[in-house]
Amino acid sequence: MYNFDYVKASSVADATAALGGDAQAISGGQTLIPTLKARLGQPSSLVDLSGVAEMSGITAGDGSVTIGGAVTHHAVSESGDVPASVAALAAGIGDPAVRHRGTIGGSVANNDPSACYPSACLGLGATIHTSGGDVAADDYFQGMFDTALGEGQIVTGVTFPTPAKANYQKFVQPASRFALVGVFVSQMADGYVRVAVTGASESGVFRWSDAETALAGNFSADVVPAAPSADGMIADLHGSAAYRAHLISVMTKRAVAAC
Amino acid sequence: MPTVSMTVNGKSVSGEVEGRTLLVQFLRDHLSLTGTHVGCDTGQCGACVVNVNGDSMKSCNMLAASADGAEVKTIEGMANDDGSLGVIQQAFQDNHGLQCGFCTPGMVMTADDLLARNPNPSEVEIREYLEGNLCRCTGYHNIVKSIQAASAAMTAGE
Ligand SMILES: Cc1cc2nc3c(=O)[nH]c(=O)nc-3n(C[C@H](O)[C@H](O)[C@H](O)COP(=O)(O)OP(=O)(O)OC[C@H]3O[C@@H](n4cnc5c(N)ncnc54)[C@H](O)[C@@H]3O)c2cc1C
Ligand code: FES
Ligand code: FES
């Protein structure tokens, strides 16, 4: 790791004042520290968001819940206020030591194409709160490792609407334990269906609209379409593009059946 | 250089670190607490697990500066006050829970964290909690047995 200055932020205002230029945010460090060890980055300073009180709570609202950006996966997994599908997703990230440090803000900001949280955000139609304003999940995720965050902006929290039904199914990549393919399915009280897929596409998390249309008419695993086209799917030593496309259909069926 | 202060195994310590100094480097190189091992240095193996403010964490994946003011417990803090092996350590010895011993500090610290939350874990719960701790020697069965034995001994000792 190249050296950097360490800055502990105590508020969002404090953090954004210290960011910009070559400064970079750090939350749990579970992704960033290994990246810096590989010398894939050389920030002048790291601004630690983990102690920012405004980003540390889980607040139940009317028909929704807001999770602060600095809340750990462990805290989400134990919370009775978040939808059970989101708590279960958080409980399946990495291992206990990773969950004790890794944060929702770090995961959503990083937008790893195999990460779990982006699928919950897109699959529930969440609102991403940033230091630059609120962004709908549909507009926020803009491709692999790419988001609507502007330079020096941070994710301060995420608001999830409460679904009538929801479930996340993750096919674990055997080495990294990230999602080889993960599918988050939800149905709102008004019948609106979302199907969000992570791990599969070279464009990052996406909504599988054919499955959404089929499920909106009849929310049953039987109507989930066969595998979508393998064009643009990730192919690597863990699975071919066609294998991932096939898994999308399988995991969607399992998620619907488990709702 | 920033100064960090923390409580490690009940003792107040402080030292000057660089921004990039990892918690595990602070423990091993500054405090000479070399019981905490570095197996992979990439956050995968769990040999470096210590307890920070009540939660198990990978000390190779955490900055020393982030632990400023924290209560840290390492494998050196697991022995009894008279220096004899603590309950979990003794259970690992009795059940052949280690061979080369490289992964053992992380295994014991993860077991300590699990038993603090769940004093009577099932075999499945133990295996799931060890998800982030890799052992190249034992095949895990005796590690699981050790933790079951520690759980039984702690429950009996209450
Ligand atoms: C062994 C292991 C297994 C894992 N398994 C999984 C898994 O199964 N599923 C999964 O989804 N993830 C997994 N992860 C990743 C883990 O969830 C990370 O915690 C997460 O991706 C990043 O969160 P963090 O708080 O650690 O962020 P950091 O590592 O601190 O930061 C990540 C990036 O986001 C930026 N950043 C951090 N916080 C903010 C913020 N609030 N606003 C703006 N930018 C920010 C940083 O500058 C950096 O670029 C795993 C990690 C490890 C080490
Ligand atoms: S040395 Fe920290 S996880 Fe392997
Ligand atoms: S005993 Fe050798 S790695 Fe576990």
Side-chain angles (χ1 to χ4, degrees):
Chain A
M1 251 193 297
Y2 298 109
N3 201 19
F4 46 77
D5 293 328
Y6 173 85
V7 182
K8 181 106 189 162
S10 55
S11 66
V12 172
D14 214 22
T16 48
L19 285 165
D22 291 334
Q24 195 175 352
I26 181 167
S27 290
Q30 300 303 289
T31 295
L32 183 57
I33 292 177
T35 310
L36 294 180
K37 283 180 183 175
R39 293 198 165 176
L40 295 173
Q42 190 172 9
S44 55
S45 61
L46 286 191
V47 181
D48 189 344
L49 307 178
S50 63
V52 175
E54 311 151 66
M55 290 168 55
S56 301
I58 299 180
T59 319
D62 190 13
S64 70
V65 59
T66 300
I67 303 176
V71 175
T72 63
H73 308 327
H74 173 71
V76 172
S77 76
E78 302 253 291
S79 169
D81 289 327
V82 309
S85 51
V86 176
L89 175 145
I93 293 176
D95 56 58
V98 168
R99 294 194 289 273
H100 288 148
R101 278 204 77 66
T103 66
I104 186 169
S107 180
V108 169
N110 197 45
N111 192 18
D112 186 300
S114 302
C116 300
Y117 265 124
S119 71
C121 295
L122 202 55
L124 284 170
T127 303
I128 316 297
H129 306 291
T130 81
S131 52
D134 292 351
V135 187
D138 286 322
D139 303 321
Y140 174 85
F141 298 101
Q142 302 187 344
M144 230 186 230
F145 298 109
D146 199 8
T147 69
L149 280 179
E151 185 177 325
Q153 292 181 350
I154 59 172
V155 174
T156 57
V158 179
T159 296
F160 292 101
T162 309
K165 297 173 181 172
N167 188 262
Y168 176 63
Q169 292 286 323
K170 174 182 180 184
F171 191 93
V172 170
Q173 198 259 68
S176 75
R177 321 302 286 177
F178 273 70
L180 186 66
V181 169
V183 177
F184 196 105
V185 171
S186 77
Q187 186 174 41
M188 290 294 151
D190 65 3
Y192 192 79
V193 173
R194 284 172 174 264
V195 178
V197 181
T198 189
S201 169
E202 285 178 342
S203 318
V205 66
F206 70 96
R207 287 175 69 180
W208 186 19
S209 48
D210 288 351
E212 291 182 351
T213 309
L215 289 165
N218 173 12
F219 195 80
S220 146
D222 302 336
V223 307
V224 172
S229 160
D231 286 350
M233 297 294 162
I234 299 169
D236 58 21
L237 81 168
H238 303 290
S240 64
Y243 182 65
R244 279 189 166 83
H246 178 71
L247 272 181
I248 293 173
S249 174
V250 173
M251 301 318 276
T252 304
K253 284 182 189 155
R254 286 188 192 169
V256 172
C259 267
Chain B
M1 286 209 289
T3 303
V4 295
S5 307
M6 60 189 88
T7 307
V8 178
N9 302 327
K11 275 194 221 134
S12 299
V13 297
S14 62
E16 295 215 329
V17 296
E18 291 186 313
R20 64 178 165 184
T21 304
L22 300 168
L23 178 59
V24 70
Q25 292 171 325
F26 183 68
L27 294 171
R28 289 178 56 88
D29 302 345
H30 293 241
L31 305 179
S32 299
L33 293 172
T34 54
T36 302
H37 291 167
V38 178
C40 65
D41 203 25
T42 60
Q44 307 286 330
C45 78
C48 65
V49 168
V50 301
N51 193 295
V52 181
N53 293 331
D55 291 328
S56 54
M57 294 185 184
K58 292 174 175 173
S59 60
C60 80
N61 226 0
M62 177 168 182
L63 301 175
S66 311
D68 190 35
E71 290 267 350
V72 178
K73 184 161 66 164
T74 71
I75 188 68
E76 286 88 350
M78 293 302 293
N80 296 323
D81 290 344
D82 65 1
S84 61
L85 294 181
V87 178
I88 301 174
Q89 293 173 309
Q90 188 62 53
F92 270 70
Q93 190 184 61
D94 294 345
N95 292 279
H96 285 278
L98 60 149
Q99 287 181 24
C100 79
F102 203 87
C103 69
T104 313
M107 292 289 178
V108 170
M109 297 314 294
T110 301
D112 181 51
D113 182 42
L114 169 64
L115 294 175
R117 290 165 205 272
N118 181 358
N120 290 300
S122 67
E123 181 185 335
V124 170
E125 287 170 331
I126 294 172
R127 288 184 186 276
E128 281 177 357
Y129 217 76
L130 295 178
E131 164 109 40
N133 292 79
L134 305 183
C135 176
R136 302 304 300 267
C137 304
T138 63
Y140 301 99
H141 293 313
N142 286 350
I143 294 174
V144 175
K145 258 198 230 163
S146 304
I147 297 172
Q148 286 172 319
S151 158
M154 285 167 151
T155 314
E158 263 170 16

